[in-house]
Amino acid sequence: MDVVVARGTGEPGWLGEEVGDPLYGMLQDRLPVSTSSYRVNYPADYRFAVGAGSADLVGHLAAQAAACPDQEFVLVGYSQGAAVVHAALGTGVVSWYPGRVQLPGDLGTRVAAVLLFGDPVRGLDWNVPGAYLSRTGDWCTGGDPICGSGMDADAHVAYGSDLVEAANFAADHI
Protein backbone atom coordinates (compact mmCIF):
# COMPACT_ATOMS: atom_id res chain seq x y z
CA MET A 1 0.00 0.00 0.00
CA ASP A 2 1.42 3.36 -1.02
CA VAL A 3 0.24 6.29 1.10
CA VAL A 4 0.39 9.42 -1.08
CA VAL A 5 0.15 12.68 0.85
CA ALA A 6 -0.45 16.22 -0.39
CA ARG A 7 0.52 18.67 2.38
CA GLY A 8 -1.30 21.80 3.41
CA THR A 9 -0.11 25.31 2.61
CA GLY A 10 3.26 25.98 4.26
CA GLU A 11 3.03 22.77 6.28
CA PRO A 12 6.43 21.63 7.57
CA GLY A 13 7.48 18.00 7.89
CA TRP A 14 8.15 15.30 5.32
CA LEU A 15 4.54 14.28 4.70
CA GLY A 16 3.21 17.20 6.72
CA GLU A 17 3.57 17.82 10.42
CA GLU A 18 -0.14 18.37 11.11
CA VAL A 19 -1.63 15.39 9.26
CA GLY A 20 0.68 13.35 7.00
CA ASP A 21 3.55 12.40 9.29
CA PRO A 22 1.45 11.30 12.28
CA LEU A 23 -1.21 9.67 10.10
CA TYR A 24 1.36 7.63 8.20
CA GLY A 25 2.70 6.26 11.50
CA MET A 26 -0.81 5.19 12.47
CA LEU A 27 -1.43 3.62 9.07
CA GLN A 28 1.77 1.59 9.34
CA ASP A 29 0.39 0.14 12.59
CA ARG A 30 -3.12 -0.56 11.26
CA LEU A 31 -2.87 -1.59 7.63
CA PRO A 32 -2.69 -5.35 7.07
CA VAL A 33 -0.11 -4.92 4.29
CA SER A 34 3.33 -3.41 3.85
CA THR A 35 3.33 0.34 3.32
CA SER A 36 5.38 3.00 1.62
CA SER A 37 4.81 6.73 1.55
CA TYR A 38 5.14 9.48 -1.01
CA ARG A 39 5.13 13.25 -0.52
CA VAL A 40 3.40 14.94 -3.46
CA ASN A 41 5.98 17.22 -5.01
CA TYR A 42 4.36 20.63 -5.29
CA PRO A 43 5.13 23.98 -3.63
CA ALA A 44 2.25 23.92 -1.10
CA ASP A 45 2.51 27.69 -0.84
CA TYR A 46 0.31 30.67 -1.60
CA ARG A 47 0.74 30.24 -5.37
CA PHE A 48 -1.83 27.41 -5.01
CA ALA A 49 -0.16 25.20 -7.61
CA VAL A 50 -2.96 22.63 -7.41
CA GLY A 51 -2.44 21.66 -11.06
CA ALA A 52 1.24 20.91 -10.50
CA GLY A 53 0.34 18.86 -7.44
CA SER A 54 -2.24 16.81 -9.32
CA ALA A 55 0.25 16.20 -12.14
CA ASP A 56 2.85 14.91 -9.70
CA LEU A 57 0.31 12.78 -7.82
CA VAL A 58 -0.99 11.16 -11.01
CA GLY A 59 2.53 10.71 -12.37
CA HIS A 60 3.61 8.98 -9.17
CA LEU A 61 0.62 6.64 -9.18
CA ALA A 62 1.22 5.74 -12.83
CA ALA A 63 4.89 4.97 -12.18
CA GLN A 64 4.13 2.92 -9.07
CA ALA A 65 1.34 1.02 -10.80
CA ALA A 66 3.66 0.12 -13.67
CA ALA A 67 6.41 -1.01 -11.28
CA CYS A 68 4.09 -2.93 -8.96
CA PRO A 69 0.92 -4.14 -10.70
CA ASP A 70 -0.80 -5.19 -7.46
CA GLN A 71 -0.10 -2.03 -5.47
CA GLU A 72 -3.01 0.02 -4.19
CA PHE A 73 -3.06 3.56 -2.85
CA VAL A 74 -4.33 5.67 0.01
CA LEU A 75 -4.58 9.32 -1.00
CA VAL A 76 -4.32 11.92 1.76
CA GLY A 77 -4.89 15.64 1.36
CA TYR A 78 -4.83 18.38 3.97
CA SER A 79 -6.13 21.87 3.21
CA GLN A 80 -4.59 22.91 -0.15
CA GLY A 81 -3.45 19.29 -0.45
CA ALA A 82 -7.10 18.21 -0.35
CA ALA A 83 -7.70 20.42 -3.40
CA VAL A 84 -4.76 18.66 -5.09
CA VAL A 85 -6.40 15.28 -4.42
CA HIS A 86 -9.74 16.59 -5.72
CA ALA A 87 -8.04 17.79 -8.92
CA ALA A 88 -6.47 14.37 -9.45
CA LEU A 89 -9.81 12.64 -8.86
CA GLY A 90 -11.66 14.94 -11.27
CA THR A 91 -13.83 17.01 -8.94
CA GLY A 92 -15.49 19.58 -11.20
CA VAL A 93 -15.02 22.68 -9.07
CA VAL A 94 -11.22 22.46 -9.38
CA SER A 95 -11.10 21.45 -13.05
CA TRP A 96 -10.07 24.97 -14.10
CA TYR A 97 -6.66 24.86 -12.37
CA PRO A 98 -3.87 25.26 -14.95
CA GLY A 99 -1.92 22.06 -15.50
CA ARG A 100 -4.46 19.85 -13.71
CA VAL A 101 -4.07 16.15 -14.45
CA GLN A 102 -6.81 13.63 -13.67
CA LEU A 103 -6.33 9.96 -12.81
CA PRO A 104 -7.31 7.62 -15.63
CA GLY A 105 -10.00 5.12 -14.68
CA ASP A 106 -7.65 2.14 -14.45
CA LEU A 107 -5.61 3.94 -11.77
CA GLY A 108 -8.70 5.21 -9.98
CA THR A 109 -9.82 1.65 -9.28
CA ARG A 110 -6.57 1.10 -7.36
CA VAL A 111 -7.33 3.88 -4.87
CA ALA A 112 -8.39 2.01 -1.73
CA ALA A 113 -9.15 5.10 0.38
CA VAL A 114 -9.16 8.88 0.17
CA LEU A 115 -8.61 10.82 3.41
CA LEU A 116 -9.28 14.57 3.36
CA PHE A 117 -8.75 17.08 6.18
CA GLY A 118 -9.65 20.77 6.29
CA ASP A 119 -10.90 20.40 2.72
CA PRO A 120 -11.62 23.77 1.04
CA VAL A 121 -13.68 22.01 -1.66
CA ARG A 122 -16.03 20.79 1.08
CA GLY A 123 -16.44 24.42 2.11
CA LEU A 124 -17.77 25.05 -1.41
CA ASP A 125 -20.34 22.23 -0.95
CA TRP A 126 -18.58 19.90 -3.40
CA ASN A 127 -17.45 16.34 -2.87
CA VAL A 128 -15.28 13.80 -4.67
CA PRO A 129 -16.75 12.22 -7.81
CA GLY A 130 -19.29 9.47 -7.16
CA ALA A 131 -16.93 6.58 -7.92
CA TYR A 132 -14.81 7.60 -4.89
CA LEU A 133 -17.56 8.53 -2.40
CA SER A 134 -17.72 5.21 -0.57
CA ARG A 135 -13.92 5.18 -0.21
CA THR A 136 -13.62 8.76 1.05
CA GLY A 137 -13.41 10.11 4.59
CA ASP A 138 -13.62 13.90 4.91
CA TRP A 139 -12.89 15.54 8.27
CA CYS A 140 -13.69 19.16 9.11
CA THR A 141 -13.03 20.27 12.68
CA GLY A 142 -15.77 22.39 14.21
CA GLY A 143 -15.03 26.06 13.70
CA ASP A 144 -12.65 25.54 10.76
CA PRO A 145 -13.23 28.44 8.33
CA ILE A 146 -11.53 26.63 5.40
CA CYS A 147 -13.83 23.60 5.17
CA GLY A 148 -16.83 24.88 7.09
CA SER A 149 -18.50 28.06 8.13
CA GLY A 150 -16.53 28.58 11.34
CA MET A 151 -14.43 31.54 12.35
CA ASP A 152 -11.71 29.81 14.41
CA ALA A 153 -8.43 29.83 12.45
CA ASP A 154 -6.85 27.58 15.10
CA ALA A 155 -9.39 24.89 14.26
CA HIS A 156 -7.76 24.48 10.85
CA VAL A 157 -4.64 23.08 12.51
CA ALA A 158 -6.45 20.86 15.01
CA TYR A 159 -6.86 17.53 13.22
CA GLY A 160 -4.81 15.37 15.58
CA SER A 161 -7.91 13.95 17.24
CA ASP A 162 -9.29 12.81 13.85
CA LEU A 163 -6.25 10.82 12.77
CA VAL A 164 -7.13 7.59 14.61
CA GLU A 165 -10.57 7.58 12.99
CA ALA A 166 -9.00 8.27 9.59
CA ALA A 167 -6.45 5.46 10.00
CA ASN A 168 -9.21 3.07 11.01
CA PHE A 169 -11.31 4.20 8.03
CA ALA A 170 -8.43 3.42 5.66
CA ALA A 171 -7.76 0.06 7.29
CA ASP A 172 -11.43 -0.86 6.89
CA HIS A 173 -11.17 -0.18 3.14
CA ILE A 174 -8.11 -2.35 2.51
Side-chain angles (χ1 to χ4, degrees), residues 3 5 9 11 18-19 33 40-41 45 63 66 74 97 100 132 141 143 172 174:
V3 180
V5 182
T9 306
E11 187 181 14
E18 180 65 28
V19 171
V33 295
V40 174
N41 184 16
D45 61 16
V74 173
Y97 271 102
R100 181 188 69 89
Y132 298 98
T141 298
D172 289 344
I174 306 302

Short mmCIF file of all heavy atoms in Angstrom, two decimals, residues 3 5 9 11 18-19 33 40-41 45 63 66 74 97 100 132 141 143 172 174:
data_model
loop_
_atom_site.label_atom_id
_atom_site.label_comp_id
_atom_site.label_asym_id
_atom_site.label_seq_id
_atom_site.Cartn_x
_atom_site.Cartn_y
_atom_site.Cartn_z
N VAL A 3 0.98 5.18 0.51
CA VAL A 3 0.24 6.29 1.10
C VAL A 3 0.80 7.57 0.47
O VAL A 3 1.96 7.92 0.69
CB VAL A 3 0.38 6.31 2.64
CG1 VAL A 3 -0.38 7.49 3.23
CG2 VAL A 3 -0.09 4.99 3.24
N VAL A 5 0.62 11.56 0.04
CA VAL A 5 0.15 12.68 0.85
C VAL A 5 0.45 14.02 0.18
O VAL A 5 1.59 14.29 -0.19
CB VAL A 5 0.81 12.66 2.25
CG1 VAL A 5 0.28 13.80 3.12
CG2 VAL A 5 0.58 11.32 2.94
N THR A 9 -0.89 24.12 2.92
CA THR A 9 -0.11 25.31 2.61
C THR A 9 0.91 25.61 3.71
O THR A 9 0.55 25.76 4.87
CB THR A 9 -1.04 26.53 2.45
OG1 THR A 9 -2.04 26.21 1.48
CG2 THR A 9 -0.27 27.76 2.01
N GLU A 11 2.92 23.78 5.23
CA GLU A 11 3.03 22.77 6.28
C GLU A 11 4.43 22.16 6.31
O GLU A 11 4.89 21.61 5.31
CB GLU A 11 1.98 21.68 6.04
CG GLU A 11 1.89 20.69 7.18
CD GLU A 11 0.86 19.61 6.93
OE1 GLU A 11 0.39 19.45 5.78
OE2 GLU A 11 0.55 18.89 7.88
N GLU A 18 1.20 18.38 10.51
CA GLU A 18 -0.14 18.37 11.11
C GLU A 18 -0.88 17.07 10.85
O GLU A 18 -1.51 16.53 11.74
CB GLU A 18 -0.97 19.55 10.58
CG GLU A 18 -2.37 19.64 11.12
CD GLU A 18 -2.44 19.91 12.61
OE1 GLU A 18 -1.52 20.54 13.17
OE2 GLU A 18 -3.42 19.48 13.23
N VAL A 19 -0.83 16.56 9.64
CA VAL A 19 -1.63 15.39 9.26
C VAL A 19 -0.76 14.23 8.76
O VAL A 19 -0.80 13.13 9.29
CB VAL A 19 -2.69 15.76 8.20
CG1 VAL A 19 -3.37 14.52 7.65
CG2 VAL A 19 -3.73 16.71 8.79
N VAL A 33 -1.06 -4.71 5.38
CA VAL A 33 -0.11 -4.92 4.29
C VAL A 33 1.11 -4.03 4.51
O VAL A 33 1.08 -3.11 5.32
CB VAL A 33 -0.75 -4.59 2.92
CG1 VAL A 33 -1.89 -5.54 2.60
CG2 VAL A 33 -1.25 -3.15 2.87
N VAL A 40 3.69 14.31 -2.18
CA VAL A 40 3.40 14.94 -3.46
C VAL A 40 4.31 16.14 -3.61
O VAL A 40 4.42 17.00 -2.73
CB VAL A 40 1.91 15.35 -3.56
CG1 VAL A 40 1.65 16.14 -4.83
CG2 VAL A 40 1.01 14.11 -3.50
N ASN A 41 5.00 16.19 -4.74
CA ASN A 41 5.98 17.22 -5.01
C ASN A 41 5.30 18.42 -5.66
O ASN A 41 5.10 18.45 -6.88
CB ASN A 41 7.09 16.67 -5.90
CG ASN A 41 8.19 17.67 -6.13
OD1 ASN A 41 8.30 18.66 -5.43
ND2 ASN A 41 9.00 17.41 -7.13
N ASP A 45 2.38 26.32 -1.33
CA ASP A 45 2.51 27.69 -0.84
C ASP A 45 1.33 28.51 -1.36
O ASP A 45 0.37 27.96 -1.89
CB ASP A 45 3.87 28.28 -1.23
CG ASP A 45 4.11 28.35 -2.73
OD1 ASP A 45 3.12 28.22 -3.51
OD2 ASP A 45 5.26 28.52 -3.13
N ALA A 63 3.59 5.63 -12.27
CA ALA A 63 4.89 4.97 -12.18
C ALA A 63 4.85 3.80 -11.21
O ALA A 63 5.39 2.72 -11.50
CB ALA A 63 5.96 5.98 -11.76
N ALA A 66 2.89 0.85 -12.66
CA ALA A 66 3.66 0.12 -13.67
C ALA A 66 4.73 -0.76 -13.02
O ALA A 66 4.98 -1.88 -13.46
CB ALA A 66 4.32 1.09 -14.64
N VAL A 74 -3.53 4.82 -0.87
CA VAL A 74 -4.33 5.67 0.01
C VAL A 74 -3.91 7.09 -0.30
O VAL A 74 -2.72 7.43 -0.23
CB VAL A 74 -4.08 5.36 1.51
CG1 VAL A 74 -4.80 6.37 2.41
CG2 VAL A 74 -4.52 3.94 1.85
N TYR A 97 -8.04 24.58 -12.74
CA TYR A 97 -6.66 24.86 -12.37
C TYR A 97 -5.71 24.55 -13.53
O TYR A 97 -5.76 23.47 -14.11
CB TYR A 97 -6.23 24.03 -11.15
CG TYR A 97 -6.50 24.70 -9.85
CD1 TYR A 97 -7.59 24.34 -9.08
CD2 TYR A 97 -5.67 25.71 -9.37
CE1 TYR A 97 -7.85 24.97 -7.86
CE2 TYR A 97 -5.92 26.34 -8.17
CZ TYR A 97 -7.01 25.97 -7.42
OH TYR A 97 -7.26 26.59 -6.24
N ARG A 100 -3.81 20.94 -14.45
CA ARG A 100 -4.46 19.85 -13.71
C ARG A 100 -4.42 18.56 -14.52
O ARG A 100 -4.67 18.56 -15.71
CB ARG A 100 -5.91 20.20 -13.40
CG ARG A 100 -6.64 19.11 -12.61
CD ARG A 100 -8.11 19.41 -12.49
NE ARG A 100 -8.80 19.30 -13.75
CZ ARG A 100 -9.34 18.17 -14.22
NH1 ARG A 100 -9.25 17.05 -13.55
NH2 ARG A 100 -9.97 18.18 -15.38
N TYR A 132 -15.70 7.61 -6.06
CA TYR A 132 -14.81 7.60 -4.89
C TYR A 132 -15.55 7.82 -3.57
O TYR A 132 -14.94 7.71 -2.51
CB TYR A 132 -13.74 8.69 -5.05
CG TYR A 132 -12.86 8.50 -6.24
CD1 TYR A 132 -13.10 9.17 -7.43
CD2 TYR A 132 -11.77 7.62 -6.19
CE1 TYR A 132 -12.29 8.99 -8.53
CE2 TYR A 132 -10.96 7.43 -7.29
CZ TYR A 132 -11.23 8.11 -8.46
OH TYR A 132 -10.42 7.91 -9.55
N THR A 141 -12.92 19.96 11.26
CA THR A 141 -13.03 20.27 12.68
C THR A 141 -14.00 21.43 12.88
O THR A 141 -13.99 22.40 12.11
CB THR A 141 -11.64 20.65 13.23
OG1 THR A 141 -10.79 19.52 13.09
CG2 THR A 141 -11.70 21.03 14.70
N GLY A 143 -15.61 24.73 13.67
CA GLY A 143 -15.03 26.06 13.70
C GLY A 143 -14.04 26.36 12.60
O GLY A 143 -13.62 27.51 12.43
N ASP A 172 -10.18 -0.19 7.20
CA ASP A 172 -11.43 -0.86 6.89
C ASP A 172 -11.67 -0.99 5.38
O ASP A 172 -12.46 -1.80 4.94
CB ASP A 172 -12.61 -0.14 7.52
CG ASP A 172 -12.67 -0.28 9.03
OD1 ASP A 172 -11.98 -1.17 9.58
OD2 ASP A 172 -13.41 0.51 9.67
N ILE A 174 -9.19 -1.58 3.13
CA ILE A 174 -8.11 -2.35 2.51
C ILE A 174 -8.56 -3.80 2.36
O ILE A 174 -9.07 -4.40 3.25
CB ILE A 174 -6.81 -2.27 3.35
CG1 ILE A 174 -6.42 -0.83 3.60
CG2 ILE A 174 -5.70 -3.06 2.68
CD1 ILE A 174 -6.19 0.04 2.40
#
